[in-house]
Amino acid sequence: MIAVIGLVVLGFCAVAGYMLREASGCNIVEEEVSLRRLPSSFDGTRLFFISDIHRRTIADRELAALMKHDKADLVIIGGDMTEAGVPLERCRHNIRMLSRLGPVMAVHGNHDYKADIRRLDDMLRELGVKVLDNEAVRLERGGAGIWLVGWDDFSTGRTNAKLSMLDVRVQPGCTIVVTHDPLSLRGESLEGIDLVLSGHTHGGQICLPGLGPVRTGKFYRQYLAGWYPFADKNGHCARLFISRGYGTSHAPFRLCSPPEVHFITLRAR
């Protein structure tokens, strides 16, 4: 009996160690997406997308690996830059590291609101980060423009998609929406939206081989990680991309859902 218990404990420790190692890694993924309405002057534009940093610290070796890739035109943070109990200086360090890749824009996630959101936003403004709280910015190049729209956090009831799209409705064009939680799309009109970037799911974070995520809802099982077509009730369809994210929540473990960050190259059709 003692020997059996010892084997069980040893096996548990081995699995826990493996999950810790997986959670501390970082896959740098090159993505490419063709958008029908993307102006030719924006063809080849590169976005660096990172979401769900939570408690992690971006290390020098990881930044060095990122800088070996072709330069990004814009860095986008898809929410959960921090969480309750994380020192502000750790988040400041991470933002400074990301700023070395390019100008930074961000949206809030649910865990950002569990931290000291006022101090967080003050720090972001100090470092030159543009936080998109239900608003749109127009990016111009070669006499043409595209919209980058940020929706505030969904689970805390702060998403206002209609408000964020007011300027876009006046001057329609290729539109990229950044929203932390892909569930925010459900029930919203996707008319005029070409691409949505999101996170929140962690790809399930802990997934059992052949069974999938240990704990996640029906919607997130359908939209877990990667690329999807997403249509609203009127048939308007957008490309949806969900990142597995960089950090973890609740426990520092991952299984069959490695952390990832993304260089996304936009292509005109």
Side-chain angles (χ1 to χ4, degrees):
M1 177 63 72
I2 294 177
V4 172
I5 293 174
L7 287 174
V8 170
V9 171
L10 184 62
F12 175 82
C13 291
V15 172
Y18 178 85
M19 291 194 293
L20 277 169
R21 286 195 300 274
E22 182 168 311
S24 65
C26 182
N27 288 345
I28 304 172
V29 186
E30 288 280 353
E31 313 277 358
E32 189 168 293
V33 59
S34 296
L35 303 176
R36 180 178 57 82
R37 298 194 300 166
L38 186 74
S40 59
S41 57
F42 281 87
D43 185 71
T45 296
R46 285 173 60 78
L47 309 176
F48 177 75
F49 182 58
I50 182 171
S51 186
D52 300 278
I53 298 173
H54 289 282
R55 307 189 68 86
R56 286 193 68 177
T57 300
I58 299 174
D60 289 336
R61 67 179 182 279
E62 291 171 341
L63 180 66
L66 291 170
M67 295 186 75
K68 291 179 181 179
H69 289 245
D70 291 342
K71 184 176 175 59
D73 297 286
L74 183 65
V75 174
I76 299 174
I77 306 175
D80 282 0
M81 294 166 268
T82 187
E83 63 179 46
V86 174
L88 186 65
E89 287 307 307
R90 185 182 305 172
C91 186
R92 186 190 303 274
H93 163 84
N94 288 336
I95 297 299
R96 283 176 170 163
M97 296 288 268
L98 293 173
S99 296
R100 293 176 63 182
L101 298 174
V104 181
M105 293 189 182
V107 297
H108 289 130
N110 54 308
H111 281 277
D112 295 320
Y113 284 105
K114 295 177 182 179
D116 190 331
I117 192 69
R118 292 186 178 180
R119 292 185 66 205
L120 173 64
D121 283 354
D122 286 345
M123 182 268 290
L124 294 172
R125 282 191 292 270
E126 174 191 329
L127 296 180
V129 176
K130 172 64 176 175
V131 178
L132 298 172
D133 284 338
N134 297 315
E135 61 182 301
V137 294
R138 187 168 172 83
L139 309 177
E140 303 278 351
R141 178 182 293 177
I146 65 173
W147 290 102
L148 183 66
V149 181
W151 292 359
D152 204 352
D153 179 58
F154 175 75
S155 66
T156 54
R158 292 176 169 87
T159 296
N160 191 330
K162 291 181 180 178
L163 176 64
S164 74
M165 295 291 288
L166 288 178
D167 290 337
V168 179
R169 302 301 185 207
V170 173
Q171 190 179 2
C174 185
T175 300
I176 300 171
V177 168
V178 184
T179 179
H180 176 65
D181 187 343
L183 187 58
S184 63
L185 298 178
R186 195 168 62 178
E188 298 290 351
S189 171
L190 299 183
E191 183 179 6
I193 297 175
D194 300 88
L195 174 64
V196 179
L197 304 177
S198 64
H200 185 64
T201 69
H202 298 197
Q205 189 165 313
I206 298 176
C207 300
L208 299 180
L211 297 177
V214 171
R215 181 186 176 190
T216 194
K218 181 179 178 181
F219 177 89
Y220 300 116
R221 282 185 174 271
Q222 184 177 359
Y223 299 100
L224 191 63
W227 291 96
Y228 303 91
F230 196 99
D232 65 17
K233 63 182 180 180
N234 294 315
H236 301 117
C237 190
R239 296 289 301 278
L240 168 62
F241 179 71
I242 304 173
S243 172
R244 288 183 172 87
Y246 179 69
T248 59
S249 60
H250 305 298
F253 299 123
R254 281 182 178 265
L255 181 64
C256 299
S257 184
E260 58 187 22
V261 297
H262 313 270
F263 286 98
I264 303 174
T265 302
L266 306 181
R267 292 296 181 191
R269 290 185 180 176

